[in-house]
Amino acid sequence: FLLEQASHTDAAAECFQKAIALDAQLDRAWYGLGLCLVRQGKLDEAIDALTRNTQLQPMSPHGWVQLARVHEQRQEPEQVLKIIQHLQGFEPKVAAELMRESGIRLSSGRA
């Protein structure tokens, strides 16, 4: 994470991949890899990594938020909406922040 924060994205991605190779259940390594892939512009791969992170830590909003941001970059508002709806169930403040950031609103009147 220190490498990623220092913008040494390639080195950080390599470290996260090595960690995942040692233990594919390391949710934080998947999250870190996802962040690196976003910085590298590899959005398809970032979606895969962040999706794996959310599978391993479904109640943590961090992976979900990053995943929504990637879908927003890819101009996939329907995917962002699905994530907002999902977050609404257990992290309504995070869902509200994503709605503000993206401009996407829930049509059910819950927001």
Side-chain angles (χ1 to χ4, degrees):
F1 281 100
L2 295 175
L3 289 170
E4 191 274 331
Q5 289 174 355
S7 297
H8 299 295
T9 309
D10 293 339
E14 185 178 324
C15 289
F16 288 127
Q17 289 169 335
K18 286 179 181 179
I20 291 165
L22 292 172
D23 184 353
Q25 301 301 308
L26 293 173
D27 58 282
R28 293 179 69 188
W30 284 106
Y31 178 77
L33 179 60
L35 294 179
C36 290
L37 293 168
V38 169
R39 281 192 178 198
Q40 293 171 333
K42 299 177 181 178
L43 300 184
D44 291 341
E45 294 175 51
I47 285 175
D48 292 342
L50 292 168
T51 297
R52 185 67 181 129
N53 169 260
T54 61
Q55 291 168 343
L56 292 168
Q57 282 293 336
M59 301 305 284
S60 172
H62 304 292
W64 291 108
V65 168
Q66 294 303 323
L67 190 56
R69 289 177 177 155
V70 172
H71 283 299
E72 186 174 22
Q73 283 184 310
R74 292 168 43 115
Q75 299 179 6
E76 298 171 339
E78 67 286 345
Q79 295 300 322
V80 177
L81 178 60
K82 287 180 185 179
I83 292 170
I84 290 170
Q85 290 169 328
H86 177 74
L87 286 169
Q88 191 72 23
F90 66 97
E91 287 284 353
K93 289 181 181 178
V94 175
E97 179 61 29
L98 270 177
M99 285 188 283
R100 280 190 292 279
E101 283 181 20
S102 67
I104 295 174
R105 299 283 178 253
L106 299 176
S107 59
S108 66
R110 293 189 315 195

